């Protein structure tokens, strides 16, 4: 599976993962490594190519991340991007200077299409620039292959040594022909074959899991989210009934979700595995009674999950393997030596301590999220599970402001269902995440001839590419209006609907 590899050396740029994803979109397996990984290590990995990322530093600053000159003597093609391109110039004795003004944004670049990197690219093409320093003189043996009116070296190369560099970012969407350039690097320069395909990943992973697990017993906490679903199906295909999946219905799932998960993974579903559904709704509602503070709710829900799971694990007894749905972005180490921020998966984070197991299996640890979805499709998992939006471990517990009660859960479930149904009917695509939340506000209304004093539902929808920042989506007014009418007519206890316009920051995506 790993016979063809390109590595990305991370110099602190914000697009390091994106570069790796783009290379994988070219069907070549790609990993991100810290910039100071040893040459020995690189030789062992035997990559077909190396990409240097951008970074916020200036090559002249003392603390700037650098690599050794010997990396250029390995005979492995290198592509430097932004800071990476300046670093190539700096180390090989070209010149880098500080520009009086930064060049930022979409910029038309003139391209020399005789370069292997720019085959089939237009002679004038829009690229994404984001730099202050620039290469003012190329190192010996290099030639300039692209420029802009203010950037004399927008790209350079030394084809004999297989060294290429772009000041702009081919990996970002705003660089119109960026994918062509990366594909040229992968295929024309690194001479890759393109063997990284989801079908072969799925097939080889199932085989590896089968060999590794042998006749061992495997336990998986199934949430119904994309990651745990795909992990469970991979294991089911590998070891069948040796796998037990425990699905805790905490009563804070979306409408019908518990039954949907059971329909796929339960005895009536297509997979061979042991499925245990724990209906723990009452337990959770009891624990949550009277609790209003959001962090306190999160804590209770997380701890209760561990207790429920622990009880089930005790019934099952010791197992050999515990499945974790870790994915590649959780694994990547930052190039600047800081440990990566790992999102605390509230629902599975504390499991290892409460289960008697020998080893952890993480069948998705090489995959990006979109690749996990593709693996799911490859495995034949229903599309509604595969394309599911992120759903927080604490579920609707953090989409209800104030105290959580069974009645409030029902209200938010119904409203959310209507909202999702209307969005689907309207055929709106490209929304990042959307859901209904129940505010803790009651206000006066009039329905028929009656006065009402009921709750307000807040609708939320955001566009986001990384979930770190987000903006409210522009949902057509008539769709919002339809949702409002239906929610007020169909959801008992609600007499007002609002749309949340807050971006992140300063807001968060969830409404808790
Ligand atoms: P916020 O609200 O922090 O959410 O802007 C960012 C993204 O993370 C999801 N989220 C969670 N996911 N467990 C999860 O697995 C959690 O406890 C949790 N809290 C928030 C949220 O849905 C959004 O996609």
């Amino acid at each position: 599976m790993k016979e063809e590899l390109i590595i990305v050396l991370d110099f602190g740029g914000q697009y390091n993962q994106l570069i790796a994803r783009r290379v994988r979109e070219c069907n070549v397996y790609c990993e991100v490594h810290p910039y100071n990984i040893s040459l020995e290590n690189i030789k062992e990995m035997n990559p077909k190519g190396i990409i240097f990322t951008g970074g916020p530093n200036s090559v002249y600053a003392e603390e700037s991340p650098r690599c050794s000159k010997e990396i250029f003597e390995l005979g492995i093609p290198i592509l430097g991007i932004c800071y990476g391109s300046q670093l190539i110039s700096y180390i090989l004795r070209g010149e880098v200077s500080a520009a009086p003004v930064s060049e930022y944004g979409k910029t038309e670049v003139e391209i020399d299409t005789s370069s292997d990197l720019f085959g089939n690219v237009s002679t004038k093409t829009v690229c994404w620039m984001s730099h202050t320093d620039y290469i003012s003189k190329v190192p010996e043996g290099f030639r300039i292959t692209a420029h802009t009116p203010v950037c004399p070296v927008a790209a350079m190369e030394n084809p004999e040594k297989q060294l290429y560099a772009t000041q702009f970012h081919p990996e970002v969407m705003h660089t119109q022909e960026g994918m062509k350039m990366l594909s040229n690097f992968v295929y024309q320069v690194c001479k890759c074959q393109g063997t990284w395909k989801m079908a072969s990943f799925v097939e080889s992973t199932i085989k590896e899991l089968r060999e590794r697990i042998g006749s061992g017993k495997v336990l998986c906490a199934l949430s119904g989210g994309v990651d745990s679903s795909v992990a469970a199906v991979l294991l089911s295909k590998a070891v069948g009934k040796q796998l037990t999946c425990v699905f805790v219905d905490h009563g804070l799932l979306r409408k019908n979700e518990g039954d949907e998960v059971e329909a796929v993974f339960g005895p009536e579903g297509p997979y061979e595995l042991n499925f245990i559904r724990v209906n723990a709704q009452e337990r959770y509602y009891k624990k949550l009674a009277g609790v209003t503070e959001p962090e306190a709710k999160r804590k209770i829900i997380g701890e209760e999950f561990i207790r429920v799971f622990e009880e089930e694990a005790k019934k099952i007894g010791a197992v050999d393997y515990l499945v974790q749905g870790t994915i590649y972005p959780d694994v990547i180490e930052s190039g600047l030596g800081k440990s990566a921020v790992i999102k605390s998966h509230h629902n599975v984070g504390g499991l290892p301590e409460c289960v008697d197991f020998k080893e952890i299996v993480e069948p998705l640890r090489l995959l990006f999220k979109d690749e996990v979805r593709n693996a799911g499709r490859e495995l034949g998992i229903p599309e509604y599970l595969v394309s599911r939006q992120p759903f927080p471990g604490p579920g609707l517990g953090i989409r209800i402001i104030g105290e959580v009660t069974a009645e409030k859960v029902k209200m938010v479930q119904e409203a959310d269902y209507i909202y999702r149904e209307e969005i689907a009917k309207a055929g709106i695509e490209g929304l990042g995440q959307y859901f209904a939340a129940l505010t803790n506000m009651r206000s006066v209304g009039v329905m028929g001839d009656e006065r009402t004093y009921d709750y307000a539902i807040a609708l939320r929808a955001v566009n986001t590419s990384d979930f770190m920042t987000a903006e409210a989506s522009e949902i057509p007014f008539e769709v919002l209006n339809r949702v409002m009418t239906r929610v007020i007519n169909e959801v008992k206890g609600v007499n007002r609907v609002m749309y949340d316009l807050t971006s992140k920051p300063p807001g968060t995506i969830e409404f808790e």
Side-chain angles (χ1 to χ4, degrees):
M1 183 180 69
K2 281 202 196 175
E3 70 274 13
E4 249 183 20
L5 167 72
I6 286 189
I7 59 172
V8 170
L9 293 192
D10 175 11
F11 288 91
Q14 55 181 322
Y15 302 127
N16 55 14
Q17 293 192 28
L18 189 58
I19 299 171
R21 281 172 50 180
R22 294 284 183 250
V23 172
R24 290 188 186 189
E25 282 167 27
C26 299
N27 296 324
V28 174
Y29 181 67
C30 185
E31 284 179 356
V32 181
H33 289 279
Y35 71 93
N36 53 3
I37 183 176
S38 73
L39 286 182
E40 279 318 303
N41 232 322
I42 294 180
K43 280 191 221 160
E44 261 167 45
M45 288 192 275
N46 193 24
K48 303 279 280 186
I50 302 174
I51 300 179
F52 293 177
T53 71
N57 303 68
S58 161
V59 287
Y60 290 112
E62 220 167 276
E63 70 285 4
S64 288
R66 302 204 178 94
C67 56
S68 69
K69 199 172 169 189
E70 285 73 43
I71 198 168
F72 300 108
E73 306 301 331
L74 294 175
I76 303 171
I78 295 178
L79 169 64
I81 295 174
C82 198
Y83 175 84
S85 75
Q86 294 163 9
L87 193 66
I88 295 177
S89 180
Y90 173 79
I91 293 176
L92 298 179
R93 295 172 185 272
E95 266 173 31
V96 177
S97 308
V101 282
S102 301
E103 195 182 21
Y104 182 83
K106 290 182 188 173
T107 310
E108 190 173 76
V109 178
E110 269 193 56
I111 299 278
D112 177 348
T113 55
S114 70
S115 161
D116 279 344
L117 196 61
F118 299 132
N120 285 325
V121 173
S122 326
T123 49
K124 284 188 178 174
T125 186
V126 172
C127 300
W128 183 256
M129 288 285 193
S130 172
H131 64 113
T132 306
D133 285 2
Y134 68 102
I135 297 169
S136 43
K137 189 167 154 247
V138 301
E140 208 181 301
F142 278 74
R143 70 182 190 107
I144 297 173
T145 51
H147 66 275
T148 75
V150 297
C151 182
V153 187
M156 65 174 189
E157 67 182 31
N158 180 341
E160 288 75 51
K161 297 234 165 201
Q162 298 184 290
L163 303 178
Y164 296 79
T166 62
Q167 180 57 66
F168 52 83
H169 290 270
E171 71 277 19
V172 306
M173 219 175 46
H174 307 300
T175 297
Q176 280 169 1
E177 298 180 85
M179 264 315 275
K180 256 188 228 168
M181 299 170 191
L182 287 174
S183 165
N184 284 338
F185 179 68
V186 166
Y187 287 102
Q188 307 310 321
V189 177
C190 303
K191 309 281 186 227
C192 290
Q193 306 288 316
T195 49
W196 171 253
K197 303 251 166 71
M198 231 0 102
S200 44
F201 169 83
V202 162
E203 198 184 318
S204 62
T205 303
I206 292 172
K207 193 162 157 267
E208 279 164 28
L209 286 170
R210 198 172 285 145
E211 278 161 17
R212 179 175 165 199
I213 292 168
S215 58
K217 269 171 92 175
V218 188
L219 181 61
C220 173
L222 186 67
S223 71
V226 183
D227 301 343
S228 67
S229 298
V230 173
V233 173
L234 276 170
L235 278 145
S236 147
K237 300 246 177 190
V239 299
K241 287 269 186 196
Q242 288 158 246
L243 168 70
T244 300
C245 286
V246 175
F247 168 58
V248 178
D249 186 341
H250 50 23
L252 302 166
L253 298 167
R254 285 167 291 200
K255 186 177 170 179
N256 300 341
E257 197 167 19
D259 295 341
E260 280 169 16
V261 172
E262 184 167 350
V264 174
F265 292 98
E268 309 293 318
Y271 304 112
E272 200 189 337
L273 55 95
N274 297 304
F275 176 80
I276 299 173
R277 175 172 177 173
V278 188
N279 289 315
Q281 293 88 332
E282 293 313 320
R283 249 178 104 148
Y284 275 88
Y285 296 156
K286 233 188 222 155
K287 286 266 172 193
L288 287 167
V291 183
T292 55
E293 208 278 316
E295 273 309 301
K297 288 196 275 184
R298 277 178 172 274
K299 231 168 141 218
I300 290 171
I301 298 167
E303 278 170 9
E304 197 57 16
F305 183 84
I306 305 218
R307 296 290 82 80
V308 174
F309 200 86
E310 190 172 37
E311 286 166 24
E312 289 309 313
K314 275 210 186 106
K315 288 184 210 157
I316 295 163
V319 295
D320 301 286
Y321 297 92
L322 179 69
V323 182
Q324 299 268 279
T326 322
I327 67 171
Y328 193 58
D330 301 331
V331 175
I332 301 179
E333 235 182 281
S334 156
L336 296 181
K338 296 179 201 127
S339 59
V341 182
I342 297 173
K343 207 169 84 180
S344 56
H345 276 254
H346 214 284
N347 40 354
V348 291
L351 283 189
E353 290 87 50
C354 81
V355 179
D356 187 1
F357 71 100
K358 291 196 199 109
E359 279 178 47
I360 284 183
V361 244
E362 298 174 311
L364 309 176
R365 64 179 281 121
L366 297 181
L367 302 188
F368 286 110
K369 192 79 183 187
D370 42 352
E371 292 177 313
V372 175
R373 295 189 203 275
N374 283 339
R377 292 185 181 106
E378 205 57 58
L379 286 161
I381 301 176
E383 188 59 33
Y384 68 84
L385 276 186
V386 166
S387 55
R388 188 161 266 185
Q389 297 179 28
F391 186 65
L396 301 179
I398 58 162
R399 291 181 182 172
I400 293 170
I401 309 292
E403 187 187 9
V404 175
T405 63
E407 294 70 41
K408 285 184 175 177
V409 169
K410 182 109 179 92
M411 279 185 226
V412 76
Q413 276 180 338
E414 293 300 328
D416 184 70
Y417 188 78
I418 291 169
Y419 188 29
R420 283 187 286 137
E421 204 168 57
E422 289 301 327
I423 295 262
K425 264 196 227 156
I428 301 173
E429 283 176 12
L431 295 177
Q433 193 173 353
Y434 55 93
F435 56 86
L438 184 69
T439 72
N440 204 22
M441 185 200 79
R442 291 169 78 193
S443 63
V444 174
V446 53
M447 256 185 140
D449 293 327
E450 297 281 325
R451 174 187 189 271
T452 58
Y453 184 57
D454 282 335
Y455 285 101
I457 279 284
L459 303 176
R460 182 106 176 102
V462 295
N463 295 342
T464 176
S465 54
D466 54 6
F467 296 94
M468 304 295 285
T469 59
E471 278 178 11
S473 316
E474 288 187 35
I475 306 230
F477 193 73
E478 70 267 18
V479 178
L480 291 175
N481 226 4
R482 260 200 306 277
V483 177
M484 178 274 296
T485 310
R486 279 194 60 195
V487 167
I488 289 174
N489 286 339
E490 297 172 35
V491 185
K492 201 167 161 287
V494 175
N495 69 352
R496 212 170 270 270
V497 175
M498 320 200 199
Y499 187 65
D500 180 7
L501 288 175
T502 320
S503 51
K504 173 182 179 177
T508 62
I509 293 176
E510 291 297 339
F511 194 118
E512 58 189 290

